[in-house]
Amino acid sequence: MTDHRDAVLRLWGRQLYERQREPLAWAEAVLEATDRPPTAVTAALSGRLDALADSPWDRAQLLFRTVAKLAANLRGDGLYDADVGTRIGPLALRLGELEPPIAGPLGDALGHPPDGPASLVTVHAAELSSSRAIRLRAIDGLLEWAELGHPQARAALSEVASDHRPQDVTVWTKALNRIALFGDASVEPGLLRALADTGHRGVRWSALACAELGFHRAVPLCTALLEHPDPMVREGACEALGIFEEQAAVPMLTARLDDESSWVRSRAAMALGQIGGDQALTALWQAMLERRNPKANHLASAIAAFGPPVVDDLIALTTDPDPDLRALACRALGSTADDRALPALEHLTAHDLARTTLGGLVATAAKQGLRTAHRMRARTAST
């Protein structure tokens, strides 16, 4: 157990409780194994932790109080405190090393630690077919092991991602949120099948997983999702197409700039900024200049993503008669952090007291733009 020893013990500590059919009886056995008097065990199991305040401190006290806290929670609201539970295994092992006479009783009460990661990963994989609560804990455990590079955990997660049909949607989305840990070409057919199942509640995550792994065969399916009735799905489709940097999607994304959902409008603008190109830039400029929505900061940010080529046009926009457009130009210029933008922003900060449709001062927008520019420039200088 030399590799990932801390992780093994942490997960083992959590599972010590989770696998108990009678958790209070288990807690009582652990408490008794610490060689505490029966009165202290009874007090702990009844939730009277205050009765333990005057107990003499020795090496077993920390483990005793940790298990007692778990028992009190179980007795009270029936909930298991996972953060507390993860401490039990390491505490018990250390106590057994320091107090050899109680090592045997502790081992009998707790169960012995696993030989290494493989035994825990095997258990996690098997638990994916158990109750929903256990499945959720199992997927979290597998993700932890995948992050540590364990190949068996990555294989189990790939199996989850390869077929959405038998999966609880939360288990599915938890796995897909971390697809970079384990995803490869083997999961592409399953993800494409999930992406085509537009009625599945995890279709948004299927689109994002395909984009993150660069599965370009998903582009037509993601583009079709821009018309999905669920705004969360439309937003996810916009994000995926931005990651793909798919030029062919620009017209469809442009249409989403007028979506009824502000989240979709914002994500569509961001995607157009990621894709780049004259067609995307023209669409963003037109949407901003037409002021189709008073809250258009997302358009300014997306235009700023085009960098130096848009700076002169943004500076010219700071002299427009419309205060809304001047304020948007300020926000965009700040995000470019371009030297040419600073004089215009400084001038408007000092002199432009006009108010926008939403009631803010153009000078305030210019000041915020300056702060953004200085922050970005400082960050660049420090790297």
Side-chain angles (χ1 to χ4, degrees), residues 99-123:
E99 299 285 349
I102 64 173
L106 276 175
D108 293 337
L110 286 167
H112 295 283
D115 295 329
S119 57
L120 283 173
V121 171
T122 300
V123 170

Side-chain angles (χ1 to χ4, degrees), residues 314-344:
L314 287 170
I315 290 174
L317 195 61
T318 63
T319 63
D320 191 276
D322 188 334
D324 285 354
L325 292 179
R326 297 201 302 276
L328 289 170
C330 290
R331 297 186 186 282
L333 285 170
S335 296
T336 67
D338 193 289
D339 288 344
R340 293 169 290 169
L342 301 182

Side-chain angles (χ1 to χ4, degrees), residues 24-315:
L24 283 171
W26 166 80
E28 183 176 9
V30 177
L31 292 171
E32 289 174 346
T34 61
D35 204 24
R36 287 301 195 260
T39 53
V41 173
T42 301
L45 287 171
S46 64
R48 292 186 290 109
L49 298 184
D50 56 326
L52 309 178
D54 298 328
S55 299
W57 184 265
D58 59 20
R59 288 167 171 167
Q61 181 76 342
L62 183 56
L63 175 63
F64 184 86
R65 292 189 69 86
T66 302
V67 179
K69 183 175 179 181
L70 273 180
N73 291 342
L74 289 165
R75 182 75 72 183
D77 55 21
L79 298 178
Y80 168 66
D81 187 334
D83 182 56
V84 175
T86 56
R87 305 172 199 161
I88 293 173
L91 282 173
L93 285 185
R94 181 61 177 156
L95 181 58
E97 293 170 358
L98 296 173
E99 299 285 349
I102 64 173
L106 276 175
D108 293 337
L110 286 167
H112 295 283
D115 295 329
S119 57
L120 283 173
V121 171
T122 300
V123 170
H124 286 319
E127 287 175 337
L128 289 174
S129 59
S130 188
S131 69
R132 184 174 188 272
I134 292 177
R135 289 200 304 272
L136 294 178
R137 290 196 294 260
I139 202 72
D140 287 338
L142 287 171
L143 288 167
E144 286 191 59
W145 287 115
E147 192 167 12
L148 292 167
H150 198 279
Q152 190 180 347
R154 290 178 172 177
L157 289 165
S158 293
E159 189 173 341
V160 170
S162 294
D163 192 356
H164 70 292
R165 291 167 296 188
Q167 305 297 340
D168 178 278
V169 70
T170 306
V171 169
W172 171 258
T173 55
K174 274 177 173 281
L176 265 57
N177 276 336
R178 308 290 303 280
I179 193 73
L181 286 177
F182 61 89
D184 56 24
S186 68
V187 303
E188 183 174 7
L191 287 178
L192 291 174
R193 186 168 54 247
L195 189 55
D197 185 359
T198 58
H200 185 247
R201 288 190 295 135
V203 68
R204 176 184 189 275
W205 287 268
S206 304
L208 293 172
C210 286
E212 187 161 357
L213 295 177
F215 295 156
H216 282 270
R217 287 199 294 161
V219 167
L221 293 168
C222 290
T223 305
L225 289 179
L226 292 174
E227 301 291 343
H228 197 280
D230 185 343
M232 280 190 63
V233 175
R234 298 199 300 275
E235 181 198 5
C238 291
E239 184 176 355
L241 291 167
I243 295 171
F244 278 124
E245 298 184 2
E246 180 56 46
Q247 286 286 343
V250 167
M252 292 284 285
L253 287 167
T254 299
R256 290 302 108 203
L257 294 177
D258 294 319
D259 195 278
E260 62 185 20
S261 165
S262 61
W263 293 102
V264 178
R265 294 196 298 270
S266 178
R267 187 62 71 176
M270 188 182 302
L272 289 168
Q274 290 173 286
I275 293 169
D278 292 343
Q279 188 182 10
L281 180 58
T282 299
L284 291 166
W285 270 112
Q286 184 176 349
M288 189 168 77
L289 293 175
E290 290 178 357
R291 294 191 302 140
R292 298 196 290 258
N293 192 292
K295 294 182 178 180
N297 289 344
H298 58 286
L299 298 171
S301 297
I303 289 171
F306 286 79
V310 300
V311 170
D312 287 338
D313 288 335
L314 287 170
I315 290 174

